[in-house]
Amino acid sequence: MYFTSIIVLSTLAASVAAAPFKFPLPDGFPNPSPAQLAEIEKKAGGSLPDGPLPTSLKGTGITTLQLLALNEIFEVAYFTELLANVTNNVSGYDAASIAPLDRTYVINAITAVVNQEKLHAAGVNGILTSANQTAIQPCEYQFPVSNFIQAVTLAQTFTDIVLGTLPEAQAAFAADAGDETGLVPLFGSVIAQEGEQTGFYRFAQKKMPSAAPFLTGGSPSFAFTAIQMFIVPGSCPQPLSNVNLTTFGPLTVVTAPKPKNMTLEFSVPGLVAPSTNSIVYLSGQNLPVTVPISAVSTVANASHFSASFPFESGFADGLTIAALVKGANQTYASNDAVSAATLYGPGLIEVN
């Protein structure tokens, strides 16, 4: 499975969804009453942590939590819509479409997930408000899926992105120290919970529940850009520019990747050249891999080009992230260094 680009996904979303997903929900989320919160906790299988929250945050910590809140609220929207589609036997989400999985089991599983995500979102916003920062409010969303398999496949991919982002969040909190130190184990527990989720999404596709021994890492701006493929432009009550992260241009993966060495075709809405640009891959916990681009063709300021996909050089099954960077044949010591050089991305490649 692979995703072509943010632009293509957004276009598909507009054609699939009759109307954007909007909050609030019937249970009061994102601002449930105490009684509603207690019911959410019951369905989630556990409560919000009851320990003290930070009363001060540094700049990096604030940005990290804003990103995480944006993601958790998006996930609440996504799984709420998925649960409604399955529960209401919408075409493509009925028992026959879910088989051989048991429909009741799937409903129970997604019910747990959506309520767990509500608690994740409430928890992150609670940390922000405890430190006198503004809570993140929901946007409107559209999702480029029309059946159950598409839905769990997409859920696997964005959960893979989350799993690559949360360790970066832990590192940021550890570096900030002070009040943020206690957030490191808290989000360690969230990493484990998200890992349990993605195992279910992979199992539903008849994949091995665990993709690889070491999952692909990411960088906050890659996650920030990816989230925006699901947000209806202009629908957020708080400008996304308030979040101190970069939104990259879209990188389309034109060729369907396979688990072998091969050549991929990409496209971007801009001008590129082999002398000034490269593709960089992030896969597993390996160092970034830079490859040259070639066969560039440009029409109306949109460029198509090719680059090798050296999967057999140690790439991980599951998610690989591609980025078009400025500079030719540069090497990078970290994912954040790749992000700093990125012009277009992330290209999200799932190979299994």
Side-chain angles (χ1 to χ4, degrees), residues 19 46 50-52 100 107 126 145 147 149 180 200 205 212 234 245 249 267 301 307:
D50 60 2
I107 289 174
V145 294
N147 60 58
I149 291 300
E180 296 180 36
F200 168 69
Q205 301 169 70
L245 293 170
S267 69
N301 290 325

Side-chain angles (χ1 to χ4, degrees), residues 4 13 45 64 71 80 100 104 115 131 136 183-184 192 196 200 223 237 279-280 283 318 329:
T4 55
T64 299
N71 179 74
T80 298
T104 300
N115 285 283
I136 296 297
L183 300 179
V184 176
E196 290 180 338
F200 168 69
I279 282 287
V280 179
S283 190
N329 302 317

Side-chain angles (χ1 to χ4, degrees), residues 111-193:
T111 297
V113 166
V114 72
N115 285 283
Q116 290 160 3
E117 298 299 353
K118 289 174 185 176
L119 295 185
H120 289 172
V124 175
N125 268 336
I127 296 168
L128 285 168
T129 57
S130 175
N132 296 313
Q133 301 299 315
T134 302
I136 296 297
Q137 298 300 316
C139 307
E140 296 178 10
Y141 308 89
Q142 288 187 315
F143 308 118
V145 294
S146 59
N147 60 58
F148 179 74
I149 291 300
Q150 289 179 359
V152 293
T153 300
L154 179 54
Q156 174 202 324
T157 297
F158 66 65
T159 305
D160 283 345
I161 297 169
V162 172
L163 288 167
T165 303
L166 286 171
E168 292 266 333
Q170 288 180 302
F173 299 140
D176 283 355
D179 269 8
E180 296 180 36
T181 302
L183 300 179
V184 176
L186 174 65
F187 283 95
S189 73
V190 176
I191 291 173
Q193 192 273 346

